[in-house]
């Protein structure tokens, strides 16, 4: 219903699958909230196919920018100020409300078929942080000062077939980047810590963090407030000519 000219009838096979899935979901004693979304989508589809109407609940109009808003300028400022920080103020606590807001912002990331497969687990106990960073092995020299360690993962079962074998890493990368922008917007500094590990190390991390076997680990993130007077690494940017091309 978000296409320029939605055709009718539309989604016949999708409707068949949705009806079957909703019937299965009805057997659960405590069905997830997505069941109500499925039912409203089904009703909107039937109404569209019979009348041509477009339901504003399932296909809403985008929100207009406030008068006088300069989103480009604000984003440029946010992007330019964000750096990877490796010198945190370990004595300054991280507000969990700020973490939740950053996750809420990152949760608006685009995902294939709107599946939103991401999950982020936060750890602030000394024992858990040490166990995670011992496996990650990329924060030597500053890991002890990180106030919060986050583990970003993706639910593998939401992807099927060889055509989607890499999709979870794309989805997870998009979410991870948007999460650090969200953290920056909340006044928090961060450092992305690579998780390119073998299966045995990922299994060990699952054991430490309680992640299920169906969650694949995307990246670890150190989060906190940069210490007063902290420094960041010089990071020359590639030129626009190197980053993009246009059709002649």
């Amino acid at each position: 219903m978000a296409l320029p000219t939605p055709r009718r009838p539309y989604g016949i096979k999708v409707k068949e699958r949705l009806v079957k899935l909703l019937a299965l979901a009805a057997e659960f004693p405590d069905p997830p909230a997505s069941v109500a979304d499925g039912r409203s989508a089904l009703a909107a589809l039937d109404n569209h196919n019979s009348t041509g109407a477009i339901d504003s609940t399932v296909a809403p109009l985008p929100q207009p920018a406030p008068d006088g808003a300069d989103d480009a300028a604000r984003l440029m400022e946010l992007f330019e100020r964000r750096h990877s920080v490796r010198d945190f103020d370990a004595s300054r606590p991280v507000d969990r409300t700020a973490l939740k807001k950053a996750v809420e912002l990152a949760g608006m990331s685009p995902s294939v078929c709107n599946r939103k497969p991401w999950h982020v687990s936060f750890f602030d106990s000394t024992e858990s942080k040490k166990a995670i960073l011992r496996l990650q092995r990329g924060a030597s020299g500053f890991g002890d000062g990180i106030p919060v360690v986050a583990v970003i993962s993706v639910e593998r079962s939401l992807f099927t077939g060889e055509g989607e074998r890499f999709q979870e890493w794309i989805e997870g990368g998009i979410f991870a980047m948007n999460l650090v922008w969200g953290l920056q917007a909340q006044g928090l500094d961060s450092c992305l810590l690579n998780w390119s590990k073998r299966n045995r190390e990922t299994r060990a991390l699952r054991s430490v963090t309680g992640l299920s076997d169906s969650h694949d680990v995307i990246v670890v993130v150190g989060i906190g407030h940069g210490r007063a007077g902290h420094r960041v690494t010089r990071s020359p940017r590639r030129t626009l000519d190197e980053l993009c091309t246009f059709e002649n």
Side-chain angles (χ1 to χ4, degrees):
M1 296 182 197
L3 296 175
T5 53
R7 68 178 184 271
R8 295 166 56 201
Y10 178 75
I12 303 303
K13 292 190 177 299
V14 172
K15 176 182 174 178
E16 293 174 358
R17 295 201 302 270
L18 185 55
V19 168
K20 292 178 181 178
L21 289 170
L22 287 172
L24 289 172
E27 299 177 5
F28 286 85
D30 186 20
S34 56
V35 170
D37 294 333
R39 288 172 178 159
S40 65
L42 187 61
L45 179 63
D46 286 340
N47 188 40
H48 169 71
N49 283 338
S50 61
T51 69
I54 295 178
D55 191 311
S56 293
T57 301
V58 299
L61 296 170
Q63 296 181 357
D67 292 340
D70 191 347
D71 291 341
R74 290 203 302 269
L75 280 174
M76 181 65 74
E77 180 186 3
L78 182 71
F79 285 18
E80 289 178 341
R81 284 192 294 108
R82 197 265 159 196
H83 296 275
S84 291
V85 171
R86 296 172 177 83
D87 185 3
F88 293 97
D89 184 348
S91 66
R92 189 174 174 186
V94 174
D95 182 11
R96 289 193 174 187
T97 301
L99 293 176
K100 290 178 180 179
K101 184 61 178 178
V103 174
E104 182 182 5
L105 293 169
M108 299 177 187
S109 301
S111 64
V112 63
C113 298
N114 206 26
R115 294 176 200 172
K116 303 191 180 301
W118 326 286
H119 182 81
V120 54
S121 303
F122 296 106
F123 301 89
D124 55 12
S125 71
T126 300
E127 181 181 358
S128 294
K129 290 188 295 182
K130 282 187 175 181
I132 294 168
L133 295 177
R134 191 181 301 119
L135 290 166
Q136 196 276 330
R137 296 199 302 271
S140 59
F142 72 99
D144 289 344
I146 298 176
V148 175
V149 171
V151 177
I152 296 175
S153 60
V154 164
E155 174 59 57
R156 187 191 322 121
S157 66
L158 293 175
F159 303 94
T160 59
E162 63 179 14
E164 293 189 341
R165 63 190 182 280
F166 301 127
Q167 192 63 39
E168 62 177 314
W169 311 107
I170 297 170
E171 306 273 308
I174 293 172
F175 178 84
M177 193 66 251
N178 283 333
L179 179 65
V180 299
W181 292 133
L183 293 168
Q184 183 75 16
Q186 295 301 304
L188 293 168
D189 295 305
S190 62
C191 184
L192 289 161
L193 302 170
N194 184 20
W195 189 263
S196 295
K197 302 294 182 182
R198 290 168 291 188
N199 287 340
R200 68 183 184 188
E201 291 159 319
T202 298
R203 285 193 293 268
L205 184 66
R206 290 193 184 109
S207 177
V208 167
T209 60
L211 286 174
S212 72
D213 290 343
S214 63
H215 273 242
D216 284 327
V217 179
I218 303 299
V219 71
V220 176
V221 188
I223 302 169
H225 297 277
R227 185 176 58 83
H230 74 276
R231 295 179 181 273
V232 298
T233 59
R234 181 178 65 173
S235 183
R237 307 301 179 185
R238 295 169 64 191
T239 67
L240 282 175
D241 288 340
E242 294 176 296
L243 292 174
C244 65
T245 58
F246 293 90
E247 182 181 19
N248 293 328

